[in-house]
Amino acid sequence: MGSSQKYFVIVFVCFIFPHVGESANQTLRKVSATDDNGDASKTVPDFVHEHGFNFEEHKVVTEDGYVLSLWRINRGKGVPLILQHGVLDTAYTFLLAGPTRCPAFYFAKKGYDVWMPNSRGQTYSLEHKKGYKWYLPFSKFWDFTFYDMARYDFSTIIEYVKKTTDSQKVSYVGHSQGTTTYILKASLDPEYINNNINVFVALGPALYIKPQNSRAADLVANKVRLFDWMYSFNFNYFWVLPEWVLKLTEPFCRSFPELYHGIVPFIGGETKRLNFDIRRWPSLCTKMPGGTSTKNLVHWLQIIRAGGKFQMFDYGARKNAEVYGQETPKEYDLSGLKQVNVPTLVVSGSNDALITDESVRKTMTVLNLSLIHISEPTRPY
């Protein structure tokens, strides 16, 4: 058995298997098409149209050649609003909760023109203008982290949405890594942010990461450095599956919804048992996760290990000296954020598996924001 297979067995037996079958006040049984109105089988456009909204898919090309898929949902002309997902997610994360609870429909009902970009290197954004093939070993396609998304993708998306909607500014809601790209862009070019963004909402802002309830993050960051090993041996992407493969998971996920309680809380923390409608599990399986580059995951794990530093990618002493002029990675210079005057709201959960209260306070200090604490008890399904 290879070393990677051993790691998988350790993870499954010690962490996932003991929780298979556990419930969170939800009866675990097969999820039929009646339970979710057959949503898992529907394409994204069909699901959106069924509930009375317009759907469009747009393609934009970044300066460094990545082709990004943008999903647009509305009921006519309105204020453009961008919803940017986090790492390993797809834009479907804003539809996953279902027609009565998902953020995309909520904002569209309020009259917003909702745009949901799919980040480079996930299921719905796997093209490159230079012909780099995502599925080939050693492909240059995977040489990126969230820094490149901030540097290239952010402004490409903003400019396209502005031009298409004939708007001067857009509103921006980011989740997790979606907040990181905004903050990095704002630090690099605060004038651009002031001129193009009218409000910023940060959901679980990810700058200073400290696992508190995520056994998966703690495992791969500190105990079994699986992704560092993958990166060093040019296994360049993780959990990236074509759409047609994701669709094949539906029968299995309908038959075994209890697997949710073993897999997802292992990654996202124990509160995931309470805060997810198990009837949406098949839809999650057929549309997510989107995956990302191994380099991007390694970068996030390096930040976890850095103990409070928001730093650049660590290539190792020799290459760091070539790239940064020193043997250790530099910290990102966030001083430009002091020049940003965009109204900002930070939203966080006290039980977030990766973003602690301390992390949020530190991020708010960097953003020059005051803390207003609003507590709302968890309401399980």
mmCIF file of all heavy atoms in Angstrom, residues 21-28 261 270-276 380-381:
data_model
loop_
_atom_site.group_PDB
_atom_site.id
_atom_site.type_symbol
_atom_site.label_atom_id
_atom_site.label_comp_id
_atom_site.label_asym_id
_atom_site.label_seq_id
_atom_site.Cartn_x
_atom_site.Cartn_y
_atom_site.Cartn_z
ATOM 1 N N GLY A 21 -23.366 7.822 10.432
ATOM 2 C CA GLY A 21 -24.600 7.382 11.056
ATOM 3 C C GLY A 21 -25.066 8.278 12.172
ATOM 4 O O GLY A 21 -26.197 8.181 12.625
ATOM 5 N N GLU A 22 -24.209 9.205 12.670
ATOM 6 C CA GLU A 22 -24.650 10.138 13.688
ATOM 7 C C GLU A 22 -25.612 11.141 13.077
ATOM 8 O O GLU A 22 -25.508 11.508 11.918
ATOM 9 C CB GLU A 22 -23.446 10.888 14.286
ATOM 10 C CG GLU A 22 -22.539 9.984 15.100
ATOM 11 C CD GLU A 22 -21.450 10.786 15.795
ATOM 12 O OE1 GLU A 22 -21.532 12.022 15.792
ATOM 13 O OE2 GLU A 22 -20.535 10.163 16.340
ATOM 14 N N SER A 23 -26.531 11.610 13.867
ATOM 15 C CA SER A 23 -27.504 12.566 13.362
ATOM 16 C C SER A 23 -27.518 13.807 14.201
ATOM 17 O O SER A 23 -26.971 13.858 15.284
ATOM 18 C CB SER A 23 -28.904 11.944 13.341
ATOM 19 O OG SER A 23 -29.325 11.683 14.659
ATOM 20 N N ALA A 24 -28.158 14.839 13.676
ATOM 21 C CA ALA A 24 -28.329 16.094 14.394
ATOM 22 C C ALA A 24 -29.817 16.410 14.402
ATOM 23 O O ALA A 24 -30.279 17.336 13.753
ATOM 24 C CB ALA A 24 -27.538 17.205 13.715
ATOM 25 N N ASN A 25 -30.545 15.589 15.141
ATOM 26 C CA ASN A 25 -32.000 15.740 15.204
ATOM 27 C C ASN A 25 -32.646 15.619 13.822
ATOM 28 O O ASN A 25 -33.691 16.185 13.569
ATOM 29 C CB ASN A 25 -32.378 17.089 15.835
ATOM 30 C CG ASN A 25 -31.874 17.172 17.266
ATOM 31 O OD1 ASN A 25 -31.922 16.197 18.011
ATOM 32 N ND2 ASN A 25 -31.381 18.335 17.648
ATOM 33 N N GLN A 26 -31.981 14.957 12.917
ATOM 34 C CA GLN A 26 -32.546 14.699 11.600
ATOM 35 C C GLN A 26 -32.529 13.190 11.379
ATOM 36 O O GLN A 26 -31.521 12.531 11.602
ATOM 37 C CB GLN A 26 -31.727 15.384 10.500
ATOM 38 C CG GLN A 26 -31.676 16.903 10.633
ATOM 39 C CD GLN A 26 -30.962 17.517 9.447
ATOM 40 O OE1 GLN A 26 -31.420 17.424 8.322
ATOM 41 N NE2 GLN A 26 -29.833 18.138 9.674
ATOM 42 N N THR A 27 -33.643 12.654 10.953
ATOM 43 C CA THR A 27 -33.721 11.225 10.692
ATOM 44 C C THR A 27 -32.903 10.900 9.456
ATOM 45 O O THR A 27 -33.104 11.473 8.396
ATOM 46 C CB THR A 27 -35.181 10.804 10.468
ATOM 47 O OG1 THR A 27 -35.933 11.135 11.628
ATOM 48 C CG2 THR A 27 -35.262 9.309 10.229
ATOM 49 N N LEU A 28 -31.955 9.994 9.617
ATOM 50 C CA LEU A 28 -31.097 9.628 8.506
ATOM 51 C C LEU A 28 -31.710 8.452 7.753
ATOM 52 O O LEU A 28 -31.892 7.372 8.306
ATOM 53 C CB LEU A 28 -29.703 9.266 9.008
ATOM 54 C CG LEU A 28 -28.932 10.420 9.633
ATOM 55 C CD1 LEU A 28 -27.583 9.930 10.124
ATOM 56 C CD2 LEU A 28 -28.758 11.543 8.647
ATOM 57 N N HIS A 261 -22.595 13.254 7.758
ATOM 58 C CA HIS A 261 -22.228 13.499 9.151
ATOM 59 C C HIS A 261 -20.836 12.981 9.492
ATOM 60 O O HIS A 261 -20.304 13.303 10.546
ATOM 61 C CB HIS A 261 -23.270 12.877 10.085
ATOM 62 C CG HIS A 261 -24.602 13.545 9.993
ATOM 63 N ND1 HIS A 261 -24.842 14.820 10.455
ATOM 64 C CD2 HIS A 261 -25.772 13.134 9.439
ATOM 65 C CE1 HIS A 261 -26.098 15.148 10.225
ATOM 66 N NE2 HIS A 261 -26.678 14.151 9.597
ATOM 67 N N GLU A 270 -18.066 20.581 14.091
ATOM 68 C CA GLU A 270 -19.223 19.836 14.570
ATOM 69 C C GLU A 270 -20.551 20.556 14.365
ATOM 70 O O GLU A 270 -21.603 19.923 14.288
ATOM 71 C CB GLU A 270 -19.033 19.509 16.056
ATOM 72 C CG GLU A 270 -17.870 18.562 16.327
ATOM 73 C CD GLU A 270 -18.010 17.254 15.554
ATOM 74 O OE1 GLU A 270 -19.089 16.654 15.625
ATOM 75 O OE2 GLU A 270 -17.054 16.844 14.885
ATOM 76 N N THR A 271 -20.547 21.893 14.306
ATOM 77 C CA THR A 271 -21.818 22.603 14.128
ATOM 78 C C THR A 271 -22.423 22.327 12.766
ATOM 79 O O THR A 271 -23.603 22.613 12.538
ATOM 80 C CB THR A 271 -21.637 24.127 14.301
ATOM 81 O OG1 THR A 271 -20.620 24.586 13.398
ATOM 82 C CG2 THR A 271 -21.239 24.469 15.718
ATOM 83 N N LYS A 272 -21.652 21.763 11.847
ATOM 84 C CA LYS A 272 -22.200 21.393 10.540
ATOM 85 C C LYS A 272 -23.286 20.323 10.682
ATOM 86 O O LYS A 272 -24.109 20.146 9.802
ATOM 87 C CB LYS A 272 -21.084 20.860 9.627
ATOM 88 C CG LYS A 272 -20.040 21.897 9.240
ATOM 89 C CD LYS A 272 -20.615 22.949 8.320
ATOM 90 C CE LYS A 272 -19.517 23.881 7.827
ATOM 91 N NZ LYS A 272 -20.055 24.945 6.969
ATOM 92 N N ARG A 273 -23.275 19.605 11.813
ATOM 93 C CA ARG A 273 -24.325 18.622 12.042
ATOM 94 C C ARG A 273 -25.669 19.296 12.284
ATOM 95 O O ARG A 273 -26.722 18.743 11.998
ATOM 96 C CB ARG A 273 -23.979 17.754 13.251
ATOM 97 C CG ARG A 273 -22.692 16.977 13.118
ATOM 98 C CD ARG A 273 -22.479 16.104 14.352
ATOM 99 N NE ARG A 273 -21.103 15.645 14.385
ATOM 100 C CZ ARG A 273 -20.649 14.614 13.688
ATOM 101 N NH1 ARG A 273 -21.462 13.948 12.905
ATOM 102 N NH2 ARG A 273 -19.387 14.255 13.768
ATOM 103 N N LEU A 274 -25.631 20.483 12.861
ATOM 104 C CA LEU A 274 -26.861 21.190 13.212
ATOM 105 C C LEU A 274 -27.363 22.087 12.097
ATOM 106 O O LEU A 274 -28.564 22.255 11.914
ATOM 107 C CB LEU A 274 -26.628 22.045 14.469
ATOM 108 C CG LEU A 274 -26.260 21.328 15.761
ATOM 109 C CD1 LEU A 274 -25.930 22.359 16.837
ATOM 110 C CD2 LEU A 274 -27.394 20.431 16.228
ATOM 111 N N ASN A 275 -26.429 22.682 11.368
ATOM 112 C CA ASN A 275 -26.784 23.796 10.484
ATOM 113 C C ASN A 275 -26.900 23.427 9.014
ATOM 114 O O ASN A 275 -26.662 24.272 8.156
ATOM 115 C CB ASN A 275 -25.751 24.923 10.656
ATOM 116 C CG ASN A 275 -25.729 25.443 12.075
ATOM 117 O OD1 ASN A 275 -26.742 25.415 12.765
ATOM 118 N ND2 ASN A 275 -24.578 25.913 12.521
ATOM 119 N N PHE A 276 -27.231 22.185 8.752
ATOM 120 C CA PHE A 276 -27.393 21.768 7.366
ATOM 121 C C PHE A 276 -28.625 20.892 7.242
ATOM 122 O O PHE A 276 -28.830 19.965 8.032
ATOM 123 C CB PHE A 276 -26.152 21.011 6.886
ATOM 124 C CG PHE A 276 -26.202 20.625 5.428
ATOM 125 C CD1 PHE A 276 -25.990 21.572 4.435
ATOM 126 C CD2 PHE A 276 -26.466 19.310 5.051
ATOM 127 C CE1 PHE A 276 -26.042 21.219 3.093
ATOM 128 C CE2 PHE A 276 -26.516 18.948 3.717
ATOM 129 C CZ PHE A 276 -26.304 19.911 2.737
ATOM 130 N N PRO A 380 -31.142 24.733 14.900
ATOM 131 C CA PRO A 380 -30.959 23.515 14.103
ATOM 132 C C PRO A 380 -32.146 23.249 13.200
ATOM 133 O O PRO A 380 -33.264 23.695 13.482
ATOM 134 C CB PRO A 380 -30.836 22.411 15.171
ATOM 135 C CG PRO A 380 -30.666 23.110 16.480
ATOM 136 C CD PRO A 380 -31.262 24.474 16.323
ATOM 137 N N TYR A 381 -31.887 22.505 12.134
ATOM 138 C CA TYR A 381 -32.978 22.059 11.270
ATOM 139 C C TYR A 381 -33.800 21.032 12.033
ATOM 140 O O TYR A 381 -33.287 20.258 12.806
ATOM 141 C CB TYR A 381 -32.427 21.437 9.981
ATOM 142 C CG TYR A 381 -32.000 22.464 8.973
ATOM 143 C CD1 TYR A 381 -30.696 22.920 8.948
ATOM 144 C CD2 TYR A 381 -32.905 22.987 8.057
ATOM 145 C CE1 TYR A 381 -30.304 23.863 8.008
ATOM 146 C CE2 TYR A 381 -32.515 23.935 7.123
ATOM 147 C CZ TYR A 381 -31.210 24.357 7.110
ATOM 148 O OH TYR A 381 -30.810 25.288 6.193
#
